[in-house]
Amino acid sequence: MRRLSRTPVLAAVAMLATSTLTVSLLAAPAEAGGRKTRVSAALSATATNPGGAVVMSGRIKDKGKQKRRVVLEQKIASGWRTVGKTSSAKDGSYAIAVPTTWFYSSKLRTRVKPTRKLRGKASRAHRLSVVPAYVPGGSPDSWDTLGQSLDRWNPCRTLTYGINTSRATPDPATVSTGIHNTIALVSQATGVRFKFVGETASNPLDKKWKRSDPDIIFGWTTDAETPLDLGPNTAARGGYDRTLRARDARGRLIWEAIDGGVIYDLTDTATMNATEFQQLTLHEVGHVMGLGHVAATDQYMTAGAELYYLPLQYQAGDLNGLSKVGLQAGCTKRVRYRGKVELRRVAPVATTLD
Ligand SMILES: [Zn+2]
């Protein structure tokens, strides 16, 4: 398990140590009494595709002549999040590149940091939409959750993933490419950052969680060797198998996924080409992220073999679902129950793919 936060204890200690200073600190907060700052901001575009060059620029007006520190902030469900920073020129002008690596429609603003003499200030907010360069098929409503309470990973964490290629079929290079390509598309759809930590000797979804394991593991086995059903109609299973109590951005209790992965049936993936392997992986990582099956056959989260006819891009329902478990939905916060972190083990869901 990850180390628990000691914040309440530290905060109490800090309060004791600084109690004599409290009055003067309260009487002179950093921003009060400083001279006024004004900041203008404008986006160079209101919509773009991934990788598009969009700039937030404007001018800071204050009575000083010094450069000011400026941050770019993006509104997600849990609040404003810093996504860029720069310093203004001496004439007060500034420009910050806006991240456009993932799909979102959200407000952006710039905020000037306070100095000893000058106040901080936030600009007006402007909306930017980053949309796919392709036309996603089907209905945006064609998505469903895997768990009952919108279980998901904390999208504000960097999630690590590793591959156990020791028994990978059709071959390690093909599966590595398919997995990396899929993770890139999931990151683009969710805004979640992933970090590949390399080869792992561990296996996914086997109830042997080790502290050193990546968050998400990809591995191979056979039906006979696993208690998970990888029978004749099941090529792989994906999901998460440990969760923690957490609250979402609206304060609702949810389960935060902390261990997950995909287990492939090596006899099934042995006959797959690179495209088929990635199609299967796009489906399974949808489960890992918290999406369930849909009746629509034009989405990657369909339960049937129709996904092998889809282009290598998530479709309209898939994308909408992934956005609901992604960064726009806001950070999750782990909570304690009777002083303890509440841990739950869940069975990864079945997939029934040919
Ligand atoms: Zn499935």
Side-chain angles (χ1 to χ4, degrees):
M1 283 313 313
R2 289 175 183 83
R3 194 166 292 123
L4 302 174
S5 164
R6 296 284 180 203
T7 309
V9 177
L10 285 174
V13 172
M15 267 172 62
L16 284 174
T18 58
S19 57
T20 51
L21 297 173
T22 308
V23 174
S24 57
L25 282 174
L26 280 175
E31 295 188 25
R35 286 194 280 185
K36 272 191 182 174
T37 297
R38 285 187 297 165
V39 55
S40 66
L43 281 172
S44 61
T46 55
T48 189
N49 295 133
V54 178
V55 174
M56 180 78 104
S57 61
R59 192 173 288 271
I60 298 155
K61 286 181 183 164
D62 56 32
K63 294 284 192 279
K65 290 191 174 71
Q66 68 194 109
K67 294 178 180 180
R68 300 287 298 270
R69 285 190 302 137
V70 184
V71 294
L72 178 68
E73 295 181 328
Q74 179 172 28
K75 186 87 177 279
I76 60 173
S78 50
W80 290 98
R81 185 175 165 82
T82 299
V83 295
K85 56 186 174 185
T86 190
S87 291
S88 62
K90 277 186 178 166
D91 69 354
S93 63
Y94 73 90
I96 309 181
V98 180
T100 57
T101 54
W102 59 287
F103 303 142
Y104 62 81
S105 176
S106 64
K107 288 180 175 174
L108 295 154
R109 71 180 185 188
T110 50
R111 199 161 56 77
V112 185
K113 299 271 196 180
T115 68
R116 279 176 145 207
K117 293 181 178 172
L118 299 164
R119 289 186 192 181
K121 180 77 178 175
S123 75
R124 281 182 53 201
H126 300 278
R127 181 173 290 275
L128 175 67
S129 299
V130 181
V131 297
Y134 62 98
V135 180
S139 165
D141 296 330
S142 295
W143 70 277
D144 204 353
T145 58
L146 187 58
Q148 292 180 333
S149 64
L150 203 56
D151 302 355
R152 56 192 175 98
W153 300 78
N154 181 355
C156 300
R157 281 181 57 210
T158 295
L159 303 183
T160 59
Y161 71 102
I163 309 176
N164 183 341
T165 61
S166 59
R167 302 176 75 196
T169 60
D171 60 83
T174 300
V175 303
S176 296
T177 301
I179 290 167
H180 294 320
N181 288 349
T182 297
I183 291 290
L185 293 177
V186 171
S187 186
Q188 186 179 66
T190 58
V192 175
R193 287 183 192 159
F194 293 86
K195 185 183 177 199
F196 179 53
V197 294
E199 184 72 22
T200 176
S202 296
N203 284 299
L205 313 176
D206 66 352
K207 294 185 160 50
K208 292 177 188 166
W209 304 285
K210 290 203 292 288
R211 201 186 171 88
S212 56
D213 281 346
D215 299 317
I216 298 165
I217 301 174
F218 296 84
W220 282 258
T221 189
T222 61
D223 183 40
E225 293 169 275
T226 174
L228 299 169
D229 178 17
L230 286 174
N233 294 320
T234 307
R237 281 175 179 242
Y240 42 83
D241 58 354
R242 278 205 306 186
T243 55
L244 289 175
R245 265 297 187 206
R247 287 191 190 277
D248 69 8
R250 287 163 59 183
R252 295 176 299 189
L253 277 174
I254 61 162
W255 292 99
E256 180 194 329
I258 53 166
D259 289 283
V262 179
I263 185 81
Y264 299 93
D265 185 332
L266 64 87
T267 56
D268 288 326
T269 53
T271 55
M272 288 185 177
N273 63 32
T275 301
E276 290 162 343
F277 178 78
Q278 192 181 330
Q279 287 166 322
L280 172 64
T281 303
L282 283 163
H283 176 93
E284 299 303 338
V285 179
H287 285 320
V288 174
M289 296 309 291
L291 298 188
H293 287 152
V294 293
T297 55
D298 54 5
Q299 303 297 312
Y300 265 102
M301 295 321 292
T302 182
E306 292 88 352
L307 65 84
Y308 293 108
Y309 297 94
L310 295 174
L312 290 177
Q313 300 278 13
Y314 281 117
Q315 303 301 303
D318 303 322
L319 289 176
N320 193 23
L322 287 167
S323 78
K324 307 291 185 194
V325 296
L327 199 51
Q328 274 202 112
C331 312
T332 63
K333 223 173 184 175
R334 290 177 193 173
V335 293
R336 287 167 171 230
Y337 180 73
R338 290 177 182 162
K340 286 184 177 172
V341 170
E342 195 180 355
L343 189 68
R344 188 182 64 160
R345 294 166 185 189
V346 291
V349 292
T351 67
T352 48
L353 294 170
D354 291 322

